[in-house]
Amino acid sequence: MRLSVIGCGYLGAVHAASMAELGHDVVAIDVDERKVAELSAGRPPIHEPELPELLARSLASGRLRFTTDIEEARGASVHFVAVGTPQQQGGTAADLTYVDAAVSALLPHLSDGDLVVGKSTVPVGTAARLAELVRASPADADLVWNPEFLREGFAVKDTIRPDRFVYGVPGGDAGVRATAVLDDVYRQAIDAETPRLVTDYATAELVKVSANAFLATKISFINAMAEIAEATGADVTQLADALGHDARIGRRFLNAGIGFGGGCLPKDIRAFQARADELGLDSLAFLADVDAVNLRRRDRVVALATELVGGDARGARVAVLGLAFKPDSDDVRDSPALDVARRLREAGAHVVAYDPAANGTAARLAPDLDYVDSVDAALTGAEVTLVLTEWSELKALTPERVAALVAERRLVDGRNVFDPRQWRDAGFEFRGLGRP
Ligand code: UDX
């Protein structure tokens, strides 16, 4: 099939390359000339496992090309809208400027029978509004909302073989037709019996934001338990293990630590709450607490590091290991790790930072940290060491290796990845989150 993908960010670039991999003929469109040039040369703008290989294969096959010209969407029969919906400047709601602009730009190039497929995360009600615009266009086209659930670090896998598809379709024959077309796009996964739910627009939009709200709540729940554990001497990691054995609860997303960040969870819970407010509903008031618990964990890490250097961070050499919001990513959007690093820097510390992939992206946002290109360089002479992203390389650190380089044996484990006893036995002052 001939497809267009509008927006070549995290979502769009991965989606376009994955669709080409599945055998479709894909034109991917973005307004950013540099991004288009980089992608056309096979260089992904983001660090994502499997993406470079996928991009190289798709470009070589001739089934994928990138352009800034929206007119090239003409001739494709399915058009994916995969642009960003960031948090509004000075507000908490989602900024729909890019979605609206993408759909408006696409309308003149639609042909009869085309399908416009929204993948971006949007406030409930957006699809119905956009469907009106599509219906009012000269072509006889339809709109579907097909949210994306990809996780960074697993984006390719999650796109090619997701754990479920959700199609929010219009009513009547148009919905039946749209379902059949999308099934063809995703034929391989559909034939492999990937669950597929066909819903109305509002439900599809809600699946996405409520999934993220649920995940954020689960993380903040365990981080709230970490606060209780800190006040009572309990160990939140053992608590999580014990809770996780209850199949109704499950162990995943119960890792207490520095909290969630990234380009999705923080902004999505805020936008969701803002949308509920607009609807005049208090139903999501608890998400403010979810957000607050999450942000308090960052305060806690800053406080622990400060305490370990004697109550005043000024002049202290602090090794920050990990800056990305999660491992296998160079994404530092709303990264708790980078936030902590910056706050220690603002408090006067000399922050020496290392991340296996995110030094570059972090330096753009926080140029005043001292970035180094190895763990050892960061550790050398450190008066306190903070491990803030659970990269394999960092989880593999041993007390012996760290002790040989640092000035002071002090460690804050922001992700609860180490065994405290092992470090204490090696003479470290060790602080975890929610651990005695
Ligand atoms: C998330 C959703 O998982 C995905 O379905 C959606 O499409 C986009 O948002 P992502 O942002 O890639 O994906 O990250 P995710 O793996 O969900 O992690 C989010 C944050 O939560 C990270 O900062 C991670 O470190 C943190 N986290 C996760 C915890 O602090 N504890 C946990 O137990 C799990």
Side-chain angles (χ1 to χ4, degrees):
M1 293 172 84
R2 284 182 68 185
L3 315 177
S4 81
V5 176
I6 301 159
C8 296
Y10 223 104
L11 172 55
V14 174
H15 193 71
S18 300
M19 292 302 107
E21 174 83 357
L22 293 178
H24 299 302
D25 189 1
V26 183
V27 58
I29 304 163
D30 200 289
V31 291
D32 183 338
E33 279 176 24
R34 223 189 56 185
K35 196 180 279 177
V36 164
E38 290 289 300
L39 283 162
S40 302
R43 286 189 293 270
I46 46 173
H47 174 96
E48 183 64 38
E50 293 183 54
L51 184 57
E53 297 80 4
L54 189 68
L55 201 54
R57 272 201 303 276
S58 304
L59 287 167
S61 73
R63 285 195 303 270
L64 175 64
R65 66 206 159 83
F66 294 91
T67 175
T68 52
D69 185 1
I70 186 81
E71 265 193 61
E72 295 198 32
R74 191 183 291 278
S77 52
V78 181
H79 308 270
F80 290 97
V81 176
V83 293
T85 51
Q87 188 171 327
Q88 274 176 10
Q89 296 273 336
T92 55
D95 178 353
L96 293 175
T97 314
Y98 305 108
V99 171
D100 290 346
V103 172
S104 304
L106 180 63
L107 291 179
H109 309 296
L110 294 176
S111 308
D112 288 348
D114 281 8
L115 203 57
V116 179
V117 184
K119 294 206 75 71
S120 309
T121 302
V122 292
V124 56
T126 306
R129 177 172 65 75
L130 296 175
E132 289 301 315
L133 294 179
V134 172
R135 244 172 265 137
S137 77
D140 179 17
D142 279 307
L143 178 97
V144 173
W145 216 262
N146 171 220
E148 182 58 61
F149 304 101
L150 67 81
R151 298 161 298 165
E152 295 190 17
F154 302 90
V156 171
K157 190 172 144 286
D158 284 352
T159 302
I160 289 185
R161 199 50 71 79
D163 51 16
R164 81 287 210 190
F165 290 107
V166 176
Y167 303 172
V169 302
D173 287 349
V176 177
R177 246 195 339 265
T179 302
V181 171
L182 265 192
D183 278 355
D184 274 344
V185 171
Y186 300 130
R187 181 53 56 203
Q188 203 185 81
I190 294 289
D191 285 350
E193 295 185 2
T194 304
R196 184 261 269 148
L197 293 95
V198 180
T199 70
D200 52 39
Y201 289 144
T203 306
E205 292 167 313
L206 278 174
V207 173
K208 174 62 197 252
V209 284
S210 56
N212 278 353
F214 189 86
L215 294 172
T217 303
K218 196 169 179 188
I219 299 167
S220 277
F221 175 84
I222 201 66
N223 281 330
M225 295 308 113
E227 292 184 342
I228 306 286
E230 281 155 14
T232 55
D235 185 327
V236 76
T237 63
Q238 289 185 321
L239 175 70
D241 289 343
L243 289 174
H245 283 296
D246 184 332
R248 294 169 304 174
I249 297 173
R251 180 63 179 80
R252 295 177 71 189
F253 272 68
L254 277 188
N255 294 321
I258 191 175
F260 59 80
C264 291
L265 259 45
K267 71 138 172 106
D268 285 353
I269 60 167
R270 291 171 198 150
F272 197 12
Q273 212 194 334
R275 183 68 185 123
D277 288 348
E278 269 172 27
L279 295 167
L281 300 171
D282 287 335
S283 319
L284 301 182
F286 71 94
L287 288 180
D289 286 328
V290 168
D291 204 0
V293 167
N294 191 53
L295 297 177
R296 280 207 297 272
R297 291 287 80 192
R298 304 178 187 186
D299 301 342
R300 173 78 180 166
V301 174
V302 171
L304 287 172
T306 307
E307 174 224 308
L308 283 176
V309 293
D312 186 349
R314 269 178 299 178
R317 187 176 168 112
V318 178
V320 167
L321 303 180
L323 296 163
F325 84 105
K326 68 188 245 186
D328 296 316
S329 169
D330 63 352
D331 197 344
V332 293
R333 287 175 294 170
D334 215 331
S335 168
L338 184 59
D339 193 20
V340 165
R342 289 168 98 167
R343 283 162 61 178
L344 286 166
R345 174 75 195 87
E346 277 159 24
H350 174 199
V351 175
V352 185
Y354 167 73
D355 187 283
N359 276 9
T361 46
R364 258 173 261 148
L365 291 184
D368 53 350
L369 306 183
D370 189 357
Y371 295 94
V372 293
D373 58 11
S374 72
V375 174
D376 287 3
L379 288 173
T380 303
E383 290 164 68
V384 61
T385 299
L386 280 64
V387 175
L388 301 181
T389 311
E390 67 275 39
W391 286 93
S392 310
E393 182 187 354
L394 304 179
K395 288 198 289 189
L397 284 173
T398 59
E400 294 69 34
R401 175 158 167 218
V402 176
L405 295 165
V406 294
E408 301 292 342
R409 297 179 186 199
R410 301 168 179 147
L411 185 86
V412 180
D413 177 4
R415 293 290 183 176
N416 288 340
V417 289
F418 295 122
D419 174 3
R421 218 183 24 206
Q422 209 191 348
W423 291 79
R424 289 192 179 119
D425 287 350
F428 276 79
E429 282 185 84
F430 181 96
R431 302 283 184 277
L433 292 171
R435 311 187 81 177

